[in-house]
Amino acid sequence: MGSRRRWSWGVTATAVVLVAGCSPGSDSGASVTVAGENGVSAQPTPTATPTVSAATSPAPPPKDGTAVLVRCADMEDPYATVEIRNPNAHEAVLEVKVHFVDAYGSPLLDTSNQVVVAAKDELAYRVPAKFQYTDRIAHCEVEPVVRAVR
């Protein structure tokens, strides 16, 4: 019988550590790559650094306001006066609608005006009626809810 030969494969581990931009004791956030035999490499996973970001939520949309008719237009003063209230904590643009109506209940003129009203404030706003209708205006109607435009 022949002699048995025992083969031993010697494995030598070689590691190369590459560090860029680091000095002892500093934490620069540089990555470290370890290269071993046969090009096998491992890269440690950096620990997550918590970040704080200021999350701003969008401002809520403005609330609608209210309108009350104070005075209707006539031949002497061709303006309707409307009191507009802004319930918002900020200035708002509110859309007021006034309807000028004749004695038969037929609409003569419909108006829509955007009015800037200060925060938590009331404003007396004069809505012009066209001259050609002032002699026929019997009454005015105001829509009680004024839509917040912005």
Side-chain angles (χ1 to χ4, degrees):
M1 289 210 262
S3 71
R4 270 188 175 177
R5 252 187 164 175
R6 197 171 195 172
W7 293 93
S8 167
W9 297 93
V11 176
T12 307
T14 306
V16 176
V17 177
L18 302 173
V19 179
C22 292
S23 60
S26 73
D27 182 13
S28 67
S31 63
V32 176
T33 302
V34 179
E37 185 177 352
N38 296 326
V40 176
S41 66
Q43 188 167 13
T45 304
T47 57
T49 304
T51 59
V52 178
S53 63
T56 58
S57 60
K63 297 175 191 171
D64 291 340
T66 57
V68 176
L69 181 66
V70 175
R71 185 185 172 288
C72 190
D74 59 25
M75 286 295 291
E76 291 179 28
D77 185 11
Y79 291 87
T81 302
V82 179
E83 186 175 272
I84 304 169
R85 291 188 180 111
N86 175 12
N88 297 289
H90 300 285
E91 177 181 273
V93 177
L94 303 172
E95 184 176 32
V96 61
K97 294 183 179 184
V98 177
H99 310 285
F100 297 95
V101 182
D102 69 12
Y104 302 104
S106 299
L108 294 170
L109 178 65
D110 293 325
T111 64
S112 176
N113 296 281
Q114 292 186 358
V115 182
V116 177
V117 183
K120 302 281 186 186
D121 201 7
E122 297 178 354
L123 174 72
Y125 182 72
R126 292 173 44 91
V127 180
K130 293 189 178 181
F131 181 73
Q132 69 262 29
Y133 298 115
T134 55
D135 62 337
R136 297 188 341 219
I137 295 173
H139 70 276
C140 300
E141 298 171 357
V142 64
E143 293 187 14
V145 175
V146 288
R147 186 177 63 91
V149 176
R150 62 175 191 269

